[in-house]
Amino acid sequence: MEKLVIEGSKRLEGEICISGAKNSALAILPAAILAGSECIIKNLPAIRDVVYLRDMLLQLGAKVHIIDQDKICIDSSSIKSHKIDAELAKRMRASYYFIGALIGRFKKAEVPFPGGCEIGMRPIDLHIKGLEALGVKIKITHGVIKAKAEELVGAPIYLDVVSVGATINIMLAACRAKGITTIENAAKEPYVVDTANFLNALGANIKGAGTDVIRIKGVDFLGGCEHAIIPDQMEAGTYMVAAAASRGNVLIKNVIPTHLEAITAKLREMGVEVTEYEDSVRVAALSRPKAVNIKTLPYPGFPTDMQQPMCVLLALSEGTAIVTENIFESRFKFMDELKKMGAKIRVEGRVAIIEGVNKLSGAPITATDLRAGAAMVVAGLVADGKTVISNIGHIDRGYERLEEKLINVGARIRRIEED
Ligand code: EPZ
């Protein structure tokens, strides 16, 4: 089993270049099924979930040509199947985008029900509600979502809860529905805008992505396009927090600063110096950060995916912080691992009370999910002594070349194989 071994207490100094956004790629690769001709996707992150998505596109019958390390060409004109292989799908969670994409292309889809994960139940009732509003008949048998529509007809859809996945999935199907679909209380995350931009480049007619109301006018034909995935705000945020926690000075390149506003604002509130440039941010911390309170909210609020890394910085800050996780019901599981390193944390339901300590100490810990794993890397980088992190497959799902990027800024981190 692979593990990460980190020798801590090193100031991070230098430059880190951010890769393409995992959560955009997870939507845009399935969305390519809607294209009538070739799509060139650039700035793709070299992460495990992208490999899994490529495998599923190939299984459906698409031609996928790897042009470069971060650039592929997808020709989905050869796709004949509307069924996702269960063995392939169970390796990741966000295979649900294949439902909207296959419905938009074939008016039918068979996709294994996505599992929950360590952060919560992850229901898809809003995905189903939205697709049924477009005329899709959905039934779930033996863990497979079977969907089909005689005709796709645009409709007004209100999302009871702001949901990135439901917003995007409905957009994928509505592109090819007759008439107008409106999605009210839509998610405004950058991934939603990135996916809408990709679909519009294919010839879709989507307006309002990035606002509460998205309006989609169905079209009869979608062509091909060339599209560059936006930079990953969560990867960037993770390295911003790592730089601050290590009392370092790091220039984080290839970012869109406006996507990082909530993270920047909280770091500045903690006394961390964040300087914004056109496509980079510099994070510098010379003194111990001050504790602040965090409430996770849909974009542009403080992102839930940054809650776990930020808790590591708060665990080392001066004072007591209250962190409220409003999005997922069990996203504090990693706190037990942090306590093994000396963190003083009390969890009460969706609230964590974090009393800052001067130092964490290295320990053998286990990554419970993707962002928890990232948080543990941050903790290991700044702890006294050695930290060994197991279950790092979670981390590889969302962080491209993690060790290489961190070694470039002075971290002592290596990957080992251990039984
Ligand atoms: C996306 O998950 C991201 N994943 C998550 O990132 C991210 O944490 C989340 O959005 C919130 O920003 C991908 O984009 C692949 P939601 P998603 O639907 O779409 C409830 C990471 O670490 N809900 O916005 O699954 C849900 O329970 C991952 O990169 C329903 O009730 O999240 C949650 O409380 C983790 N019914 C809230 O909405 C539904 O049908 C937001 O979930 C759907 C969601």
Side-chain angles (χ1 to χ4, degrees):
M1 174 170 76
E2 288 188 322
K3 296 183 179 182
L4 284 175
V5 180
I6 308 174
E7 299 294 340
S9 303
K10 271 292 286 163
R11 276 170 53 87
L12 301 182
E13 291 179 315
E15 297 185 354
I16 292 179
C17 191
I18 297 304
S19 307
K22 166 181 87 79
N23 293 343
S24 276
L26 266 58
I28 287 171
L29 289 183
I33 290 170
L34 291 163
S37 49
E38 285 187 350
C39 292
I40 307 272
I41 315 282
K42 300 186 287 187
N43 202 34
L44 258 184
I47 54 177
R48 207 167 284 188
D49 275 5
V50 166
V51 174
Y52 293 160
L53 284 174
R54 272 202 328 246
D55 290 347
M56 288 190 258
L57 286 170
L58 289 167
Q59 173 252 321
L60 288 171
K63 294 189 184 68
V64 180
H65 169 56
I66 298 174
I67 301 168
D68 203 341
Q69 205 239 1
D70 67 348
K71 189 173 172 183
I72 64 172
C73 174
I74 300 171
D75 177 358
S76 59
S77 58
S78 50
I79 291 181
K80 296 286 178 285
S81 169
H82 66 283
K83 298 181 181 179
I84 290 289
D85 176 86
E87 281 312 301
L88 292 180
K90 73 182 183 186
R91 301 181 301 180
M92 59 185 291
R93 213 196 84 72
S95 44
Y96 44 59
Y97 290 132
F98 282 98
I99 305 168
L102 290 166
I103 287 280
R105 170 79 180 266
F106 298 114
K107 295 196 184 65
K108 55 186 176 181
E110 286 192 22
V111 178
F113 200 92
C117 59
E118 289 300 320
I119 62 175
M121 280 298 292
R122 315 292 296 272
I124 59 166
D125 56 306
L126 296 176
H127 298 237
I128 291 171
K129 171 186 170 182
L131 294 171
E132 285 178 338
L134 300 177
V136 183
K137 301 282 178 272
I138 293 179
K139 61 183 178 155
I140 298 167
T141 47
H142 307 301
V144 176
I145 297 164
K146 296 186 177 179
K148 67 179 178 185
E150 292 307 314
E151 197 180 32
L152 281 177
V153 181
I157 297 164
Y158 174 78
L159 294 180
D160 309 54
V161 175
V162 174
S163 161
V164 172
T167 300
I168 292 175
N169 229 347
I170 294 163
M171 252 183 1
L172 295 174
C175 276
R176 297 296 310 276
K178 289 190 181 353
I180 306 282
T181 297
T182 51
I183 306 173
E184 301 201 18
N185 199 24
K188 299 182 274 206
E189 270 71 2
Y191 326 124
V192 173
V193 178
D194 201 19
T195 306
N197 290 341
F198 170 76
L199 293 168
N200 282 339
L202 295 180
N205 184 337
I206 301 173
K207 292 184 170 52
T211 73
D212 297 307
V213 181
I214 299 177
R215 181 182 178 281
I216 303 128
K217 187 171 184 302
V219 293
D220 295 331
F221 178 74
L222 292 169
C225 75
E226 193 161 319
H227 181 84
I229 301 264
I230 57 169
D232 193 314
Q233 70 189 114
M234 302 311 168
E235 185 196 14
T238 303
Y239 290 127
M240 290 169 76
V241 166
S246 75
R247 308 277 173 88
N249 187 323
V250 177
L251 181 67
I252 295 162
K253 303 185 344 182
N254 186 34
V255 299
I256 300 175
T258 48
H259 290 171
L260 305 171
E261 265 172 8
I263 303 157
T264 298
K266 289 316 259 188
L267 287 175
R268 284 174 173 162
E269 218 180 294
M270 298 175 82
V272 176
E273 207 178 275
V274 182
T275 312
E276 293 173 317
Y277 303 97
E278 193 181 328
D279 59 358
S280 59
V281 290
R282 178 173 293 279
V283 177
L286 298 172
S287 57
R288 187 180 180 192
K290 290 189 294 298
V292 295
N293 295 334
I294 300 278
K295 287 182 174 37
T296 63
L297 286 169
Y299 190 83
F302 190 88
T304 175
D305 293 347
M306 280 302 303
Q307 176 257 102
Q308 294 151 303
M310 180 57 97
C311 282
V312 176
L313 184 58
L314 292 170
L316 289 161
S317 297
E318 194 171 340
T320 299
I322 310 284
V323 178
T324 310
E325 172 52 66
N326 292 309
I327 309 295
F328 290 110
E329 67 273 22
S330 51
R331 201 162 197 172
F332 285 138
K333 286 192 177 162
F334 75 110
M335 296 294 199
D336 293 338
E337 298 300 306
L338 275 192
K339 288 180 194 169
K340 290 178 188 170
M341 302 177 80
K344 280 191 185 159
I345 300 168
R346 199 171 76 248
V347 174
E348 291 172 4
R350 286 187 179 236
V351 176
I353 299 101
I354 304 175
E355 194 186 324
V357 295
N358 272 315
K359 259 290 171 200
L360 294 174
S361 59
I365 50 181
T366 304
T368 53
D369 64 79
L370 164 58
R371 304 301 174 184
M376 286 169 200
V377 169
V378 175
L381 289 170
V382 299
D384 263 346
K386 183 167 84 167
T387 297
V388 181
I389 305 173
S390 311
N391 238 6
I392 59 173
H394 285 300
I395 306 173
D396 293 336
R397 285 187 43 224
Y399 289 85
E400 175 184 327
R401 293 181 291 114
L402 176 99
E403 300 101 280
E404 181 188 319
K405 294 188 181 189
L406 285 170
I407 288 166
N408 283 349
V409 289
R412 289 169 297 188
I413 180 172
R414 60 195 166 85
R415 187 178 289 245
I416 62 168
E417 186 66 42
E418 204 171 72
D419 295 338

